[in-house]
Amino acid sequence: MVKINDLEIGDGRRFVLIAGPCVIENRDITFRTAEEIKKITSRLGIPYIFKSSYKKANRTSLNSFTGLPVEEAFAILKEVKEDFELPVLTDVHTEREIQKAAEVADVLQIPAFLCRQTELLIAAGKTGKAVNVKKGQFLAPEDMKFVVEKIESTGNNKILLTERGTTFGYHNLVVDMRGLEIMKETGYPVIMDATHAVQIPSAGGISGGQPRFIKTLAKAAAAVGIDGLFLEVHPDPSKALSDAGSQLPLNELEELLALIMKIDEIVKSEH
């Protein structure tokens, strides 16, 4: 089990939601999304961590939106954390970013493409913050034990592992649900990212997606048994500045979560 403030992940009783817009586009969208998701999760009794990247370093095209000025983005994240009293998660891409991000974020996220970067993992671990590692699209689930060992070497045991699909040929991802069980063998909480898993990487210079399968993958993962559900959520995905093809519309979130709760309760009542 990993404890983040007063929130417990992997307690075997309920799943945690990690959700928010892909990237901080502006204050209005960030606040509107955080406020609405908090209302929904409060009604449903689901523990909630707000997620948004303060910048996006791994864009397909040189012309893609990478984020606001760093100080502005961090200020918005800090406001969300304080105004809504929520733990927040954001990505880090290099060792030099980590200390600044750790001043605001409760969870540091290692992007999938960087999950084998030893120095990055160790630097994140040394902060003492929870570290969420996205499993690389190129990595077998059993190899995540080596990622875990790198972070554990710093004395940090606040580790989360997230499934987000595996490369299957060009421009396609698949989710092998066996991987959720395999990663559980590390002893750390396992999260399902049902939005990045529907991406179509590099579809004509930007990442596309098949968002109609978000709910399918979320339900399937809940049936396997997960400790958390990761969703990128936007008020209007068609206008999103990043991952427009794979975010869940905000107005569809509550219905999906209510269904996931029912599946989650059935699965966990068996243990």
Side-chain angles (χ1 to χ4, degrees), residues 17 25 35 50 54 77 79 95 136 138 140 164 179 208 254 263:
L17 177 69
E25 300 178 14
E35 181 177 28
F50 177 80
Y54 76 91
L77 261 184
E79 275 192 272
E95 298 95 275
F138 46 83
R164 52 93 72 236
E254 187 163 7
I263 300 170

Side-chain angles (χ1 to χ4, degrees), residues 4 10 14 36 43 46 49 54 63-64 86 103 105 121 129 134-135 170 178 193 223 226 228 241 248 255 258-259:
I4 301 169
R14 55 187 175 176
E36 183 59 24
R43 282 196 294 268
I46 299 172
I49 298 171
Y54 76 91
N63 300 316
S64 295
L86 290 170
E103 292 174 9
L121 291 165
K129 297 284 185 174
K134 293 284 194 77
K135 181 182 75 64
Y170 297 117
R178 295 174 301 177
D193 179 350
I226 50 176
L241 301 182
L248 181 75
E255 182 181 1
L259 179 56

Side-chain angles (χ1 to χ4, degrees), residues 123-187:
K126 284 181 176 178
T127 66
K129 297 284 185 174
V131 182
N132 182 38
V133 187
K134 293 284 194 77
K135 181 182 75 64
Q137 301 92 323
F138 46 83
L139 207 63
E142 56 266 28
D143 290 339
M144 287 297 282
K145 66 182 179 183
F146 302 114
V147 172
V148 164
E149 287 172 1
K150 291 175 184 180
I151 300 171
E152 284 179 332
S153 74
T154 68
N156 188 340
N157 295 308
K158 297 179 182 178
I159 303 169
L160 309 174
L161 303 177
T162 297
E163 171 62 63
R164 52 93 72 236
T166 302
T167 300
F168 188 73
Y170 297 117
H171 306 301
N172 198 20
L173 298 171
V174 296
V175 177
D176 180 356
M177 293 294 168
R178 295 174 301 177
L180 298 171
E181 290 288 350
I182 293 168
M183 287 196 290
K184 283 182 187 180
E185 294 171 3
T186 63

Side-chain angles (χ1 to χ4, degrees), residues 20-22 51 56 195-196 230-234 243 246-248:
C22 174
K51 179 273 167 185
K56 301 298 289 184
T195 44
H196 282 98
F230 182 110
L231 297 168
E232 289 194 331
V233 180
H234 194 282
D243 286 1
S246 58
Q247 296 198 62
L248 181 75

Side-chain angles (χ1 to χ4, degrees), residues 56-103:
K56 301 298 289 184
N58 56 339
R59 299 293 81 194
T60 302
S61 168
L62 177 64
N63 300 316
S64 295
F65 178 76
T66 58
L68 300 174
V70 170
E71 293 300 327
E72 182 180 353
F74 274 132
I76 292 171
L77 261 184
K78 186 176 180 183
E79 275 192 272
V80 167
K81 177 177 178 174
E82 294 174 350
D83 288 12
F84 298 109
E85 298 181 330
L86 290 170
V88 300
L89 174 152
T90 199
D91 298 278
V92 290
H93 309 87
T94 66
E95 298 95 275
R96 69 170 179 264
E97 297 172 42
I98 285 177
Q99 211 51 53
K100 180 68 176 176
E103 292 174 9

